[in-house]
Amino acid sequence: MATATADPITMKLDQLFTATDTDGDGYVDWSDHQRIVDRYVSGYKIDKSDRRAKALLISYQMQWTELLRHADGVNRLSREQYHLATRAASVDTSRFNMVEGVPHAIFDLMDTDEDNVIGKSEFKQYLEVWNVTDPSAMDAFAALDLDGDGVISRQEFIRAAREFFYSPDLEAPGSLFFGRLSA
Ligand SMILES: [Ca+2]
Ligand SMILES: [Ca+2]
Ligand SMILES: [Ca+2]
């Protein structure tokens, strides 16, 4: 879609829409989210009843509920509606903090040895789950590891998630979640 503006956050939300519209029908609905959850569950070979799988499902359900609450009675969102609802929901954290809730659940899945940090091999595994084969994707690891101690802490991960939604800086680590954009 041609955008009249190069607003960095709009560009990032465009990426997020494309990544979330998993069946590519031009709308984001619950089934798109369900496919993402299923992908994590099969990719990490965990059971649906696993605590981490349940937490991920519930956080996506809360996030989706929040998006719909900001979208006036529809049950699927066009690209434009998704932009508006996501901007509104990422600022209104009164019911659920979508900016941090889902990332915490994803972090818990990525942290397979449960030491509360993401090591390089855990990051590689995450890329494999999503079939990311681009070697430059590992660059994101170094960018996310802000203090350079060789692992991504929970704090570094959540900070990056906040940057994705709030920071106009396209070079910020959080802006690299879905690959590099240039203004
Ligand atoms: Ca869709
Ligand atoms: Ca770990
Ligand atoms: Ca670190």
Side-chain angles (χ1 to χ4, degrees), residues 77-92:
L77 304 175
S78 68
R79 191 176 285 267
E80 189 186 354
Q81 289 169 323
Y82 183 80
H83 275 262
L84 293 172
T86 302
R87 279 180 187 268
S90 63
V91 173
D92 176 2

Side-chain angles (χ1 to χ4, degrees), residues 107 110-122 151-152:
F107 186 96
M110 292 172 78
D111 180 21
T112 53
D113 66 1
E114 297 183 58
D115 66 350
N116 214 33
V117 295
I118 307 296
K120 232 175 205 154
S121 62
E122 286 170 333
V151 291
I152 300 166

Side-chain angles (χ1 to χ4, degrees), residues 9 11 22 78 91 137 143 182:
I9 293 178
M11 291 165 69
T22 47
S78 68
V91 173
S182 50

Side-chain angles (χ1 to χ4, degrees), residues 117 144-153 156:
V117 295
L144 289 164
D145 176 17
L146 278 180
D147 65 1
D149 68 348
V151 291
I152 300 166
S153 67
E156 286 167 335

Side-chain angles (χ1 to χ4, degrees), residues 120 123-124 127 132 134-146 152 171 173 176-177 179-180:
K120 232 175 205 154
F123 194 78
K124 269 205 188 98
L127 296 178
V132 178
D134 180 356
S136 70
M138 275 312 283
D139 294 351
F141 183 88
L144 289 164
D145 176 17
L146 278 180
I152 300 166
E171 294 302 312
L176 304 174
F177 266 128
R180 189 174 294 276

